Amino acid sequence: MSAMDWPEVPSVSSSTTLVRQILMVAVLVYTLLLFLALFSGFFYIRLVLASLSFSFFLFFVCFSSNLKLFHVIYVLFIFLMGLVALDRSGGSSLIAGFFLTGGLAMAVVIRDFNLGGVAYKFPLLIYLMYLYFCWLVLGFGPSEFNHLFSGYSRNIVGAVVLALLGGYLWICYEKDVRPSILLVILSALITIPLYGRSNIVALMLVVVFVLFFCWKYKVSLFYFCASVMAVIVLGPVVADYFSSETNFSSGIESPRYEMLLGYLSELDLFSLLLGGDERLVLAIQEYGGNPHNAFIRFHSNFGFMLFVSLVAILAVFIRLLSSGSGFLLVLLCVMLFRGFFDVIFFGNLIDYALVGPLAFFFRPEYKSLIFAKT
């Protein structure tokens, strides 16, 4: 089979082809460099990752028959607006452009060449084992986890769990197999020592919708009844723990709302189109220049392309609804919810794991998936 044929069918390459082997090595290298970048905070590793991510986009451009004129125009404007924001972003807008465009292409390539285990499942397993070792053996708590990734925070530690789990669930859907409920629950439980509210809510939502979509009535009813009993018996203890040992002790108020309002207040017609300057928002600068909102960062880097992207996401919503893909629709909603509270995608290291549901637009051919038959 020639390389030009691979987008035409869901499974386009066997495990023995040279192309798939090269792509597998590239995904493994990306995964290793990803964690090296997160643990070290070394800027130049991010540059290498951005280049590697963009190489997947170039591969997609060269060999995909699904490439449309709209995709080319979108990418060109992303980089054009990234260049406009180059000075105020300190150069990061161009790197974000590489991750944003490369991340989606990387997700499509991972799906079409059956690399989900290498890209998502096994890294998630290893990562969870490490985090549980830190929690249960080394006694890590919020303070220790806050310094686990140099230059990041415990929120990003949990965001990586969500990203890899999201990628794994998306691939399970694409392959029409049930995900491991144990893996999902373990991913949700590790958010407790990680302390962050948005991670806890997002992962708990994932547990609920995986049970609903993947096990439907029998098993879901059992888990629901067991959960109700657990809440009745352990409710006061659990509520006390969450209110004292997690960030829910701070209530639902967050400086993020002040950052968002501050950013919006600085916008005029000119900056609405070309992107706002985060440096003008005092609340953002007080927290190290991090707006803790992927949509603010997207607009700051790419201006009006945020609105174009939101229209594209709305189109994905409509397509998922019309095709009955409720599982992907809910998964996408959880990812967008999480992105509202941290700069975790739309131009970041883990885009390739978070934007999977958006790759529905790049399905080689529609197939009716029977996901969770019982």
Side-chain angles (χ1 to χ4, degrees):
M1 179 182 292
S2 67
M4 291 295 292
D5 295 331
W6 71 262
E8 298 299 324
V9 292
S11 180
V12 296
S13 181
S14 71
S15 60
T16 60
T17 64
L18 179 61
V19 172
R20 184 176 185 277
Q21 290 171 355
I22 292 173
L23 291 172
M24 182 182 295
V25 171
V27 169
L28 284 171
V29 171
Y30 189 94
T31 304
L32 292 173
L33 290 176
L34 166 67
F35 282 101
L36 185 59
L38 291 171
F39 279 103
S40 69
F42 196 41
F43 174 74
Y44 291 103
I45 301 178
R46 289 179 60 89
L47 289 180
V48 175
L49 281 167
S51 302
L52 184 57
S53 176
F54 192 68
S55 69
F56 280 89
F57 173 77
L58 296 178
F59 176 84
F60 183 80
V61 169
C62 292
F63 298 106
S64 174
S65 62
N66 279 340
L67 192 67
K68 302 295 190 298
L69 179 61
F70 168 78
H71 304 143
V72 176
I73 295 174
Y74 179 87
V75 171
L76 289 176
F77 270 100
I78 281 290
F79 282 106
L80 176 62
M81 299 309 296
L83 288 173
V84 170
L86 203 60
D87 180 60
R88 67 171 178 266
S89 70
S92 64
S93 59
L94 194 59
I95 298 174
F98 284 127
F99 280 125
L100 178 62
T101 57
L104 183 56
M106 191 173 175
V108 175
V109 170
I110 287 170
R111 179 196 65 191
D112 290 350
F113 283 88
N114 196 25
L115 298 173
V118 173
Y120 305 127
K121 183 177 181 179
F122 295 118
L124 177 60
L125 283 170
I126 295 171
Y127 186 45
L128 285 176
M129 285 192 294
Y130 173 73
L131 293 180
Y132 273 97
F133 175 79
C134 292
W135 180 25
L136 301 177
V137 178
L138 301 183
F140 273 31
S143 178
E144 292 81 7
F145 275 119
N146 205 40
H147 301 288
L148 185 61
F149 290 161
S150 177
Y152 295 88
S153 71
R154 59 181 171 255
N155 285 331
I156 299 303
V157 178
V160 174
V161 174
L162 177 64
L164 293 175
L165 180 64
Y168 164 69
L169 293 174
W170 167 59
I171 290 297
C172 285
Y173 177 88
E174 293 286 352
K175 294 175 65 177
D176 201 16
V177 297
R178 291 188 189 133
S180 165
I181 188 60
L182 178 61
L183 193 57
V184 174
I185 291 176
L186 287 175
S187 298
L189 287 178
I190 198 61
T191 61
I192 295 174
L194 294 180
Y195 192 76
R197 291 165 294 185
S198 54
N199 281 326
I200 292 173
V201 173
L203 268 298
M204 294 303 175
L205 286 174
V206 168
V207 171
V208 172
F209 88 78
V210 166
L211 284 174
F212 176 78
F213 281 102
C214 301
W215 275 267
K216 292 285 177 87
Y217 308 109
K218 295 179 182 178
V219 178
S220 295
L221 182 61
F222 168 78
Y223 278 106
F224 176 76
C225 293
S227 300
V228 170
M229 292 299 297
V231 168
I232 293 174
V233 176
L234 302 175
V237 177
V238 173
D240 180 67
Y241 180 87
F242 272 86
S243 64
S244 60
E245 300 298 328
T246 73
N247 211 23
F248 282 105
S249 59
S250 303
I252 60 173
E253 293 297 323
S254 171
R256 290 173 173 83
Y257 302 113
E258 185 180 350
M259 294 178 191
L260 177 60
L261 293 175
Y263 182 80
L264 293 175
S265 68
E266 294 291 341
L267 295 179
D268 52 26
L269 181 60
F270 184 76
S271 58
L272 187 67
L273 294 175
L274 298 183
D277 193 341
E278 298 173 5
R279 297 172 298 181
L280 300 178
V281 182
L282 181 60
I284 293 178
Q285 293 311 308
E286 287 177 347
Y287 284 85
N290 183 358
H292 291 277
N293 185 306
F295 298 95
I296 292 178
R297 180 58 56 82
F298 191 112
H299 183 263
S300 180
N301 282 333
F302 307 115
F304 73 92
M305 290 304 294
L306 169 65
F307 309 114
V308 175
S309 300
L310 291 177
V311 171
I313 291 173
L314 178 61
V316 173
F317 267 72
I318 295 173
R319 183 166 181 178
L320 292 176
L321 279 172
S322 63
S323 64
S325 304
F327 184 86
L328 286 187
L329 183 64
V330 177
L331 182 60
L332 178 58
C333 288
V334 171
M335 298 306 180
L336 294 175
F337 161 79
R338 186 63 187 85
F340 190 81
F341 294 98
D342 268 308
V343 183
I344 62 172
F345 62 178
F346 290 152
N348 215 327
L349 300 168
I350 51 178
D351 273 16
Y352 77 103
L354 286 164
V355 298
L358 298 178
F360 197 82
F361 260 139
F362 299 93
R363 180 181 292 281
E365 61 180 19
Y366 176 76
K367 62 175 181 175
S368 180
L369 295 175
I370 307 173
F371 196 67
K373 302 181 179 116
T374 59

